[in-house]
Amino acid sequence: MKIIETVCAVREQVKAWHKAGYRVGLVPTMGYLHEGHQSLIARACAENDKVVVSVFVNPTQFGPNEDLGSYPRDLARDAALCESTGASIIFHPTPEEMYPSGYSTFVDMEGMTQTLCGKSRPTHFRGVCTVVSKLFHIVQPDTAYFGEKDAQQLAVIRRMVQDLNMDITIVGCPIVREPNGLAKSSRNTYLSETERQAALVLSQSIFAGKAMVEAGETDAGALVDAMRHKIEAEPLARIDYVQVVDQQTMQPIEKLDRPFLAAIAVYIGKTRLIDNFMGQGSASQ
Ligand code: AMP
């Protein structure tokens, strides 16, 4: 498995693959890979002849006071995980390779990027759409793989691909969790041992919410209240949002009468964590 740092070299490689008739899959990541990323890479390897994993801590998706500088990085470990999972190359560009001096073009989506994470991170999805568009143009994959852990991101990418007529299939993959329920995240490394315990309140509120829906709850407000109360019982937790939205538009809904996303963002100390569950809703409500 090769690690490639330039746009030119990755293009040449992928061009040769396409010429040979290979199907190419892409897994975009910010590195510090864990079993969540690995599940995407494994799926990509099962469904494609060649798989590119991009490892790039994208500066444009971080706000001015966010964790760009401290985001964890370990390329050697990432390379070992990619190789053992079957990836063909890692694309690991420098920020200057992706955003050379004079860079001026951004992909900015309206509406669904302004709710949930977009509210407290107003420039986040502009950075995500821009870097993912660039990766799609550079790698030209047949299929790209994203985690349901970042459910709003997945919905935004699906919308972007549809709106901009990109000929790429988007595959969403289920959330991978620790045995104790905590959704795996590169940011979990920021947590102290006490905070790790406190962080379990996220998945506990998700599981409680899911159980309510399975027991027949159809009112989004009641669901949000119950999940909020559970999180508020943890002294180290500070809620950013607890919301139920339409799965496609990311706009708040009152009744669970269509496919929905119940999403939460919670600070545990200084670390902001997200989690969610999705449901089909019932048209009869
Ligand atoms: P990141 O490196 O955090 O930008 O994540 C790269 C990709 O991995 C995104 O599509 C994430 O949704 C996905 N991902 C991250 N954590 C998980 C997880 N616990 N389960 C499934 N997918 C994940």
Side-chain angles (χ1 to χ4, degrees):
M1 191 202 63
K2 276 190 280 189
I3 299 177
I4 297 182
E5 295 193 343
T6 66
V7 170
C8 194
V10 82
R11 273 228 160 110
E12 239 169 64
Q13 175 65 89
V14 174
K15 232 180 224 165
W17 287 340
H18 276 138
K19 213 168 166 190
Y22 292 146
R23 281 189 59 83
V24 177
L26 169 68
V27 182
T29 82
M30 297 208 298
Y32 213 72
L33 305 179
H34 50 65
E35 288 91 334
H37 301 107
Q38 195 169 25
S39 71
L40 272 57
I41 300 167
R43 173 99 184 252
C45 290
E47 296 179 357
N48 297 274
D49 303 302
K50 300 288 177 186
V51 170
V52 179
V53 178
S54 61
V55 173
F56 180 57
V57 183
N58 173 38
T60 62
Q61 71 189 68
F62 288 79
N65 298 315
E66 293 182 354
D67 57 342
L68 173 63
S70 57
Y71 198 84
R73 292 158 166 93
D74 188 342
L75 187 62
R77 221 192 65 186
D78 290 348
L81 182 144
C82 286
E83 181 148 38
S84 69
T85 313
S88 316
I89 60 178
I90 289 183
F91 177 45
H92 179 59
T94 59
E96 295 72 31
E97 180 73 5
M98 291 297 269
Y99 303 107
S101 153
Y103 189 91
S104 315
T105 306
F106 294 88
V107 179
D108 207 355
M109 185 184 294
E110 297 175 354
M112 65 191 290
T113 56
Q114 277 139 34
T115 59
L116 304 177
C117 288
K119 216 165 194 172
S120 53
R121 307 184 74 192
T123 57
H124 174 66
F125 288 111
R126 179 181 191 252
V128 168
C129 287
T130 301
V131 80
V132 171
S133 295
K134 284 173 67 71
L135 290 169
F136 284 178
H137 282 115
I138 294 164
V139 176
Q140 306 209 354
D142 298 283
T143 308
Y145 298 79
F146 293 86
E148 289 174 356
K149 158 92 190 325
D150 300 270
Q152 186 177 19
Q153 169 174 278
L154 175 58
V156 163
I157 299 297
R158 285 193 197 284
R159 181 84 247 169
M160 178 182 79
V161 163
Q162 190 181 332
D163 286 355
L164 297 183
N165 309 99
M166 294 171 166
D167 190 15
I168 296 172
T169 303
I170 303 300
V171 172
C173 304
I175 299 177
V176 175
R177 299 178 179 279
E178 307 273 356
N180 62 14
L182 180 66
K184 292 201 179 259
S185 163
S186 308
R187 290 191 166 97
N188 290 348
T189 53
Y190 296 148
L191 302 170
S192 68
E193 219 19 74
T194 324
E195 288 174 337
R196 258 185 175 267
Q197 278 306 309
L200 296 182
V201 78
L202 277 92
S203 52
Q204 283 163 359
S205 86
I206 291 296
F207 299 151
K210 213 170 177 177
M212 277 177 79
V213 173
E214 279 161 10
E217 183 58 67
T218 59
D219 185 68
L223 182 59
V224 166
D225 284 347
M227 290 171 68
R228 265 190 168 275
H229 283 136
K230 194 141 196 104
I231 300 166
E232 281 165 357
E234 168 52 59
L236 291 183
R238 182 168 59 82
I239 292 174
D240 178 4
Y241 65 75
V242 176
Q243 258 195 327
V244 178
V245 298
D246 178 295
Q247 223 178 78
Q248 276 192 357
T249 65
M250 298 288 119
Q251 302 307 311
I253 56 173
E254 289 176 4
K255 285 271 160 216
L256 306 181
D257 56 1
R258 69 197 92 169
F260 67 87
L261 166 71
I264 64 178
V266 178
Y267 286 91
I268 301 292
K270 288 195 172 116
T271 305
R272 184 175 176 281
L273 300 174
I274 57 173
D275 204 340
N276 71 75
F277 73 97
M278 289 188 252
Q280 281 313 300
S282 161
S284 60
Q285 299 310 318

